[in-house]
Amino acid sequence: MGSTNSAKVADAALGSPANPCAMVIFGAAGDLTKRLLIPAVYNLVTGKLLPEQFAVVGVSIEPFSTEEFRRQATKDIHEFATGGVDDAVWDSFVKRFYYVSGDFQDPVLYKTLGDTLAQVEKEQGTQGNCLFYLATSPVFFSVVAEQLAAAELTRQEGPKWKRVVIEKPFGHDLASAEALNHALGQVLEEKQIYRIDHYLGKETVQNLLAFRFANGIFEPVWNRRYVDHVQVTVAEELGVELRGGYYETAGALRDMVPNHIFQLITLSAMEPPISFDADAVHDEQTKILRAIQPISPERVLDQAVRGQYGEGAIGGKRVPAYRSEPHVAADSQTPTYVAMALHIDNWRWAGVPFYLRTGKRMSERITQVVIQFRRPPLVLFRNTPVDKITPNQLVINIQPNEGISLSFEAKIPGPVVRLGAVNMDFQYSDYFGTTPSTGYETLLYDCMLGDPTLFQRADMVEAGWAVVQPILDVWKALPSRDFPNYAAGTWGPQQADELLRRDGREWRDPTLAAGPRHPTGTGA
Ligand code: BG6
């Protein structure tokens, strides 16, 4: 199938190289840099999306020399590249790597960095353009931005641009997100700030926009008249690994909901923007977040479910309870699972619940959005063996099996009227093959082009935190009494099933690769 179908899309424009620039990575010795950022930049190089006039400047407290940094990066790329490494390409690329060591709070570091950037501009022709990537602990976000500004490294003159990418987490609640926005706003223009959410780097997430707005057949039914409810599932098989220290202060709600899951919800629910300009898209996303009915404190325990995994088995292997993971308190109250029902109070969605759930150590790694349409009346089939009609479901699989499937009822052949749910399936890999990527390529490329559409604007981030803040407050005031309340390797606590059951609904089994196939009539 691949060759015919891919032929149809083979003429897709691949894009031209980004602007010359230096990419300065704060936190250059960290995990994010070696696992994702450098492999992503390398993929841009091999994809011919970076100009020759490009350089990487690593910054961290580690006392490396430039030579040592290049050697380490060479070792790491062989471990973390998403495809093979072409040594000739890499060797010429790594010669454009530089390193500056120092304390992020020390003005001397920024003086040295300024000197290095001047040298890089001269040697590599980066034309004074600079992308500062803050792959650091969040405590340094505003410190680094302030110091960069104080050293005049973020000053934009003429065509020379300076942009600052801020990693996640952006604040740990509404007040801290507001404070961080305020601090950044003191030293940078909003247009210089690129708040990253790596979910927006996923092709399937970006495809939500293409799917909804490049096809005429879905928009007319994409509303409360035809849609019964929406489910968003972000299930992870992994536990907290070695991130217990961070995760203890975050938990599933902060870690996944106001950022990743709200991207999925806003892109699924927003009105068509008037263009794909960043502001037009962000305006519509923000309107959705603001239209979510605030959850009153009294309703939090009803509308939101929290969970924490106990020990269990995944893929036949025993795994420990969250409370036994490294750097996790033995009586930890941190949720590793959250489910909730949200209501978007606008003309398109009033009365259509959006159920979301996310958790660690679930049976499988699956992210999907399910649009469940209204059930048709059964009256036509009254005098037949059909006693139930399965509602149509549109399933958008974000990962790992990227694709879209639509289930509908069909007559099972035979003299007796029986119905069976069947599927129309689209798999990304059938049409477009698979290009291994880290998910950061598009985001970095867009930042170099100055396109912030796939980044978050200040007001979006705050609107997201405003939705979850009441839940954070109530959960903090009323610790859970039943943690751990789900076994690793399951689909989460029973209360999450109850959340839907009392509305007469149920979670779709996310492992059904392509909708239910059981007959819904009797007799044969
Ligand atoms: C990160 C969270 O932002 O996203 C992690 O901090 C989580 O806890 C990860 O595992 C999930 O990302 P992905 O791309 O694997 O779905």
Side-chain angles (χ1 to χ4, degrees), residues 168 198-199 202 234 236 243 246-247 255-256 260 360 365 367 399:
K168 179 180 162 270
H198 80 276
Y199 261 55
K202 294 181 193 286
V234 181
E236 296 187 81
R243 298 166 72 224
Y246 152 75
Y247 202 81
D255 193 40
M256 299 297 287
H260 308 329
K360 296 222 178 267
R365 174 174 184 252
T367 298
Q399 58 189 21

Side-chain angles (χ1 to χ4, degrees), residues 114-127:
D115 296 342
T116 306
L117 284 172
Q119 177 195 349
V120 166
E121 187 175 342
K122 219 156 103 205
E123 291 178 5
Q124 308 295 346
T126 48
Q127 299 182 8

Side-chain angles (χ1 to χ4, degrees), residues 101-121:
S101 157
D103 177 345
F104 295 157
Q105 317 202 45
D106 182 358
V108 174
L109 165 66
Y110 299 84
K111 165 83 184 65
T112 319
L113 178 60
D115 296 342
T116 306
L117 284 172
Q119 177 195 349
V120 166
E121 187 175 342

Side-chain angles (χ1 to χ4, degrees), residues 26-45:
F26 285 83
D31 246 31
L32 182 69
T33 304
K34 64 179 178 205
R35 285 175 188 275
L36 296 166
L37 298 182
I38 298 298
V41 171
Y42 176 68
N43 286 343
L44 289 177
V45 172

